[in-house]
Amino acid sequence: MLTIASLWIPFTIIAALGQVARNAMQRSLTKPLGTWGATNIRFLFGFPFSVLFLAVVLLATGDHLSMPPIVFWAWLLLGALSQIVATGLMLLAMNDRSFVVTTAYLKTEAIQTAIFGFIFLGDHLTWLKVLAIAIATVGVVITALRPGGEKSFAELKPTITGLVAAAAFALSAVGFRGAIITVPDVSFVTASSFTLVLGLFVQTLVLTIYLLLRAPDVLRGILGLWRPSMLAGFTGAFASQFWFLAFALTAAANVRTLALIEVLFAQAVAYYSFKQPIAPRELAGIALIVIGVAVLVAV
């Protein structure tokens, strides 16, 4: 039977499913709205649903929220701003390479989260964990480089973009977990939901102001596509709710490592929705990423 401490496992699997669906929806909106317009979809249209989730949680738990400590806001800003950058870079990478391979780049987030945990939190890295990181990194290189592609820097652009996006997602995961665990005197469900609401509020505010100043036509376009945007916003908020619940129960590196299952979901989406074939070499690279992250979790 599952205990509360182990609930992060089903929470993460549900979140991964929701995230693949949200990424596919955002990708379809990138052409009419541009990268940052599609990025704002998950925040602007996800925020109302996060408020609804929090209201339901407060009614169910009877928790009473108080002002969080200053350190909460520092972690929250790290998580929120890093995720804005990460999402935009992710969509740029998806425009350059296949959906499933881009997802493989992003799965190095689990490895980078472990590294950031060592840097910022002093988490110890054993030699087995270092080996796991090396195996997964080789997998990324094999997946990214096509024959002859090493001769052209343009071929490396989506690789670099995907890896930097993964680093930003890793910082975001660490930041959000840091915020959640500093919310005082409430259940982990309330702390997660409260952090999600404030995180989406900050992200919506920052990106909407940016688009208002730099690309007001994009905001009008977003409003004109409110129906698909609403669905993408709900899916994004739903996935984020479960990511945050998982972050409340275990280390961010554990969550983002198990999230590798998203690669399998992305393969299904790429094959059935985008009709994108996967080369044997790419499959071999993804397999190495799976092995590396699995070893990382096991040790």
Side-chain angles (χ1 to χ4, degrees):
M1 294 180 62
L2 285 174
T3 63
I4 292 179
S6 63
L7 282 175
W8 70 272
I9 298 173
F11 287 164
T12 300
I13 294 172
I14 294 170
L17 278 168
Q19 182 161 300
V20 170
R22 185 209 65 208
N23 288 349
M25 293 175 192
Q26 280 186 290
R27 191 187 193 210
S28 67
L29 294 169
T30 301
K31 185 175 182 179
L33 298 177
T35 298
W36 292 112
T39 300
N40 198 30
I41 291 299
R42 67 176 293 185
F43 305 136
L44 179 64
F45 288 89
F47 174 68
F49 291 109
S50 72
V51 174
L52 177 62
F53 297 160
L54 177 60
V56 171
V57 168
L58 290 176
L59 286 174
T61 62
D63 283 341
H64 298 281
L65 290 166
S66 58
M67 181 62 67
I70 294 177
V71 68
F72 168 86
W73 300 103
W75 284 119
L76 182 76
L77 287 175
L78 174 64
L81 298 181
S82 296
Q83 194 173 52
I84 290 176
V85 174
T87 304
L89 290 174
M90 175 191 71
L91 293 175
L92 281 175
M94 284 182 175
N95 286 336
D96 290 331
R97 284 301 304 271
S98 74
F99 183 76
V100 68
V101 175
T102 297
T103 300
Y105 298 152
L106 295 174
K107 290 306 99 187
T108 65
E109 175 197 346
I111 300 165
Q112 298 191 62
T113 301
I115 293 173
F116 289 138
F118 171 74
I119 294 173
F120 295 115
L121 303 176
D123 294 338
H124 180 61
L125 287 177
T126 65
W127 70 269
L128 282 175
K129 289 188 176 183
V130 173
L131 177 62
I133 292 171
I135 292 172
T137 301
V138 170
V140 171
V141 173
I142 291 174
T143 303
L145 296 179
R146 290 179 289 187
E150 65 277 4
K151 298 179 181 179
S152 171
F153 180 78
E155 290 293 326
L156 295 178
K157 178 183 175 182
T159 304
I160 295 171
T161 303
L163 293 176
V164 174
F169 275 125
L171 286 173
S172 177
V174 170
F176 282 134
R177 172 162 166 78
I180 291 168
I181 62 178
T182 59
V183 179
D185 305 323
V186 294
S187 67
F188 79 91
V189 179
T190 300
S192 302
S193 303
F194 177 65
T195 303
L196 176 60
V197 168
L198 292 180
L200 286 176
F201 174 77
V202 169
Q203 292 166 326
T204 299
L205 183 65
V206 169
L207 202 50
T208 300
I209 291 175
Y210 171 81
L211 291 174
L212 185 63
L213 294 176
R214 299 293 299 271
D217 290 343
V218 173
L219 283 179
R220 287 191 287 270
I222 290 173
L223 295 178
L225 293 172
W226 67 270
R227 288 181 184 274
S229 297
M230 188 71 70
L231 182 58
F234 169 78
T235 307
F238 176 83
S240 295
Q241 179 73 30
F242 281 92
W243 286 131
F244 280 38
L245 288 171
F247 288 150
L249 295 176
T250 190
N254 291 338
V255 175
R256 302 312 298 158
T257 299
L258 179 59
L260 186 65
I261 194 173
E262 183 185 340
V263 173
L264 302 179
F265 301 153
Q267 286 181 1
V269 171
Y271 181 78
Y272 291 106
S273 298
F274 302 139
K275 308 303 180 184
Q276 293 179 346
I278 306 171
R281 175 188 40 75
E282 293 175 343
L283 285 176
I286 292 173
L288 285 175
I289 296 172
V290 172
I291 293 170
V293 177
V295 173
L296 188 67
V297 173
V299 299

